[in-house]
Amino acid sequence: YRKISFEERSRMLLRAAEILEEEAEELGRVMTGEMGKTLAAATAEAQKCVRGCRYYAEHAEAMLADEPVELEGARAFIRYQPLGPVLAVMPWNFPFWQVFRFAAPALMAGNVGLLKHASNVPQCALAIEDIIHRAGFPEGAFQTLLISSSQVQSVIDDPRVRAATLTGSEGAGRQVASEAGENIKKTVLELGGSDPFIVMPSADLEKAVSTAVTARTLNNGQSCINAKRIIVHQDIADEFEHRFVESMEALRVGDPMDENTDMGPLATPDILEDVTGQVRKSVEAGARVLTGGEPMEGPGNFYPPTV
């Protein structure tokens, strides 16, 4: 695959973008069915993948062009060459975007991809492989491996695999980086954080509240860039709290396939259990529940917007 021209790689990646665009809603339903984000959010995610594919298809050749180096009396240049097969360990929260933001540049750079997706989104993983295959990429240029987390090390150990990338938790990042380090293989990691949302008296309070709600509830609250902590200046704390609680209570929680739903269920029963436990521990430590605070009755992993 590394011998295929940029022009040919670009043609295939643009075809993948066309398939994503033509089938955005259908692919969105696969995402929603497996991890519970709203259908509107899932369809938008597929469309974001379209933009990502087109960007790298159009710009990769210039990005990877030889770079001359100025030397007195000599000529030198930097050349970017493919590494080879790259293992991608990807999360369930953005099951298409996280993969395509890896796959598009990797394929344009002449690498091939091996995908170990999260265990709760196997249909998404297989659909992505199918899209890349239907776009005309050669057999094996991108393969989904339906394996468990315990099998990742054996893939990293394989001498044919040249690098690994992971988006996920710090614990998973440490494990993959450690295993890759033992093999002297390159890694790129994107791990979680605890992002603060800070509100000062100079803020437009209405806009701050609206943005805070979005920042906390994006993707049913399951995003690495969601606001994890909201820190409010004491002069406006009471008013912000009142408006924020009111806005969180106004969110419609329910069937993620329904266009009127603001928030769907959490992705797995384990996550529902974790969130329930986190709230209870916070209350035991002195926190006050202003709204929500208990799992919703009925089927599904539903937890209400909670302050």
Side-chain angles (χ1 to χ4, degrees):
Y1 176 69
R2 66 195 294 141
K3 297 175 182 177
I4 291 176
S5 68
F6 275 111
E7 183 181 9
E8 183 67 5
R9 294 176 205 166
S10 176
R11 184 191 64 75
M12 293 184 291
L13 192 58
L14 288 172
R15 177 59 190 140
E18 288 176 359
I19 295 170
L20 282 159
E21 190 167 48
E22 291 163 1
E23 301 175 10
E25 185 168 342
E26 179 184 337
L27 298 169
R29 289 184 181 278
V30 177
M31 289 183 240
T32 298
E34 288 200 306
M35 60 73 56
K37 70 173 67 202
T38 64
L39 180 58
T43 303
E45 181 175 333
Q47 292 163 341
K48 185 176 183 179
C49 295
V50 173
R51 297 192 295 274
C53 288
R54 285 178 176 155
Y55 178 83
Y56 285 105
E58 292 165 4
H59 297 286
E61 184 172 8
M63 290 174 173
L64 298 173
D66 290 350
E67 295 180 9
V69 177
E70 295 296 329
L71 288 177
E72 201 170 313
R75 187 175 72 87
F77 59 91
I78 298 166
R79 172 163 291 171
Y80 298 96
Q81 296 181 317
L83 288 170
V86 180
L87 171 67
V89 181
M90 292 288 120
W92 48 262
N93 60 342
F94 293 96
F96 268 63
W97 170 245
Q98 296 284 13
V99 176
F100 273 100
R101 75 170 191 170
F102 149 75
L107 289 166
M108 283 304 301
N111 299 304
V112 300
L114 299 169
L115 171 63
K116 188 282 181 225
H117 217 328
S119 58
N120 60 318
V121 289
Q123 293 177 84
C124 291
L126 292 170
I128 292 167
E129 180 186 295
D130 179 60
I131 289 165
I132 291 173
H133 179 71
R134 284 191 284 143
F137 285 91
E139 190 73 31
F142 188 92
Q143 299 175 68
T144 283
L145 309 177
L146 295 178
I147 60 175
S148 68
S149 297
S150 64
Q151 294 172 285
V152 168
Q153 182 169 354
S154 64
V155 179
I156 294 174
D157 288 343
D158 192 303
R160 294 169 295 179
V161 175
R162 304 305 300 273
T165 181
L166 173 140
T167 298
S169 69
E170 290 181 18
R174 286 192 189 98
Q175 185 175 347
V176 166
S178 172
E179 291 160 0
E182 287 181 9
N183 288 279
I184 321 294
K185 294 180 180 180
K186 298 179 186 294
T187 58
V188 174
L189 309 176
E190 191 228 327
L191 309 179
S194 186
D195 307 293
F197 188 101
I198 301 169
V199 188
M200 298 299 287
S202 57
D204 176 333
L205 204 56
E206 184 177 347
K207 188 174 182 181
V209 168
S210 173
T211 304
V213 171
T214 300
R216 179 55 272 184
T217 61
L218 175 73
N219 204 40
N220 299 348
Q222 303 166 122
S223 170
C224 57
I225 59 169
N226 278 16
K228 311 298 193 303
R229 298 168 289 143
I230 298 177
I231 301 168
V232 186
H233 192 283
Q234 60 186 5
D235 288 355
I236 56 169
D238 290 345
E239 180 63 18
F240 181 92
E241 179 185 290
H242 170 73
R243 294 192 190 192
F244 184 66
V245 169
E246 198 173 60
S247 296
M248 290 286 274
E249 289 177 337
L251 294 171
R252 294 172 299 247
V253 181
D255 181 357
M257 295 288 188
D258 187 333
E259 62 181 16
N260 295 312
T261 295
D262 296 313
M263 286 186 67
L266 296 172
T268 68
D270 288 346
I271 295 170
L272 178 63
E273 188 177 323
D274 287 346
V275 171
T276 303
Q278 288 170 346
V279 172
R280 286 179 182 161
K281 285 178 185 175
S282 298
V283 171
E284 289 167 6
R288 294 175 297 124
V289 175
L290 304 181
T291 186
E294 290 291 341
M296 298 172 71
E297 294 183 5
N301 307 314
F302 288 97
Y303 198 93
T306 295
V307 182

